[in-house]
Amino acid sequence: MFGEGVILAGIRFSVVDLMRAGAALEAKIKSLGVSQIELHDEVSTYEQSVSHSEKGYIGEYFHRTLNTLPPSMFQGVTCRSSDGYVVATTAIRCDDISGWDLDRYIREFWMRAYRTKDGEPVLLSETAVPFAKDVTGSIAYIGDTFVAPDLRENNLAAYIVRLCLVIANTKWRPVYTYGWMARHHAFEKALFLRWGYTTCYPGGLIWERPPANKAYEDLCFLGCTPAGIAQLLMRPLDIGLD
């Protein structure tokens, strides 16, 4: 098993490559003020752990009122400090969207899960996510990322999201992994590259009826193909600052 290669879109990497990168990232995360990394197969246990953090809640992509995510489709990650506090969170979901493309999936999900300030379903413009067209099959989403304020200066979030990219490709082997990021984080700080994504589209969501939460009005779309994963596995700790 461990000698087998994962081949996606002509890109090859082995399970050993994934394990090696995961171990390196785990060691790095534990050197930055994290004592324990917890993996959650159930949304309920992830939700309970997040409730003990300063974040306190989980987002729409994972919340049980909006989703049914069995262990085969979900992985939550929380990190605790040596005094037992939950200081970082993130989560991954996998969806097989065969028959649709990612453009259609994003439109359907946001319309169902988010509301305008008047309580109506949000509505994306026809030109909102053209970059997601023709992406289909098994896709992974990484979101719900939070790091306690006193740990944010050491790029802990970057290493945690990179670990999630490794976990997603170990567990599901998706044809594409995506996420969202505020524009000022994505471009002013180039955080999308630090986090391991290779693609970033500004103005990722163009609205006809925007969500009530202003933070969602100007998000950048982040993407990573198997080629990007292969690149990350060669240098998992290289976030571009050295």
Side-chain angles (χ1 to χ4, degrees):
M1 174 182 175
F2 295 115
E4 294 177 354
V6 177
I7 304 177
L8 290 170
I11 305 301
R12 183 184 183 93
F13 47 84
S14 72
V15 178
V16 171
D17 294 330
L18 290 161
M19 293 176 62
R20 185 181 296 116
L25 286 161
E26 180 180 1
K28 181 66 175 180
I29 290 166
K30 287 185 174 179
S31 75
L32 298 174
V34 170
S35 176
Q36 182 180 1
I37 300 173
E38 302 171 326
L39 298 181
H40 305 268
D41 291 328
E42 295 281 353
V43 177
S44 58
T45 63
Y46 173 69
E47 185 177 33
Q48 182 179 22
S49 189
V50 172
S51 71
H52 296 149
S53 71
E54 289 186 45
K55 185 175 190 289
Y57 65 94
I58 63 175
E60 289 86 349
Y61 268 88
F62 304 100
H63 203 284
R64 285 185 290 165
T65 60
L66 295 166
N67 305 280
T68 302
L69 294 171
S72 61
M73 297 170 59
F74 173 78
Q75 187 74 75
V77 181
T78 54
C79 300
R80 292 184 185 269
S81 61
S82 57
D83 53 10
Y85 288 103
V86 175
V87 294
T89 74
T90 193
I92 324 161
R93 63 179 290 166
C94 182
D95 297 277
D96 186 342
I97 61 170
S98 299
W100 287 359
D101 61 11
L102 187 52
D103 179 308
R104 171 77 181 274
Y105 177 82
I106 288 170
R107 291 177 186 281
E108 294 280 346
F109 183 82
W110 279 78
M111 186 183 300
R112 187 180 79 250
Y114 296 84
R115 292 291 181 267
T116 69
K117 63 180 180 180
D118 297 321
E120 296 295 321
V122 301
L123 182 64
L124 286 161
S125 78
E126 289 299 317
T127 60
V129 282
F131 41 79
K133 290 185 182 297
D134 301 323
V135 176
T136 190
S138 177
I139 58 162
Y141 169 81
I142 299 174
D144 225 39
T145 304
F146 166 81
V147 171
D150 58 336
L151 294 178
R152 290 177 185 172
E153 296 302 317
N154 58 17
N155 290 290
L156 178 58
Y159 297 111
I160 291 174
V161 173
R162 283 171 172 254
L163 179 60
C164 285
L165 286 166
V166 171
I167 291 171
N169 279 270
T170 302
K171 188 169 182 175
W172 296 301
R173 305 180 185 181
V175 299
Y176 201 79
T177 306
Y178 78 104
W180 303 102
M181 182 179 284
R183 183 189 293 261
H184 65 280
H185 288 315
F187 286 97
E188 292 177 18
K189 299 180 181 180
L191 287 188
F192 77 96
L193 290 172
R194 295 189 206 176
W195 285 21
Y197 291 97
T198 53
T199 300
C200 180
Y201 290 98
L205 295 171
I206 302 171
W207 298 101
E208 289 189 17
R209 294 199 303 262
N213 189 335
K214 296 292 185 181
Y216 297 154
E217 283 195 22
D218 189 21
L219 293 177
C220 295
F221 174 89
L222 313 181
C224 189
T225 64
I229 299 299
Q231 189 176 48
L232 182 150
L233 296 181
M234 288 189 289
R235 302 178 70 180
L237 302 183
D238 183 2
I239 61 173
L241 296 180
D242 297 331

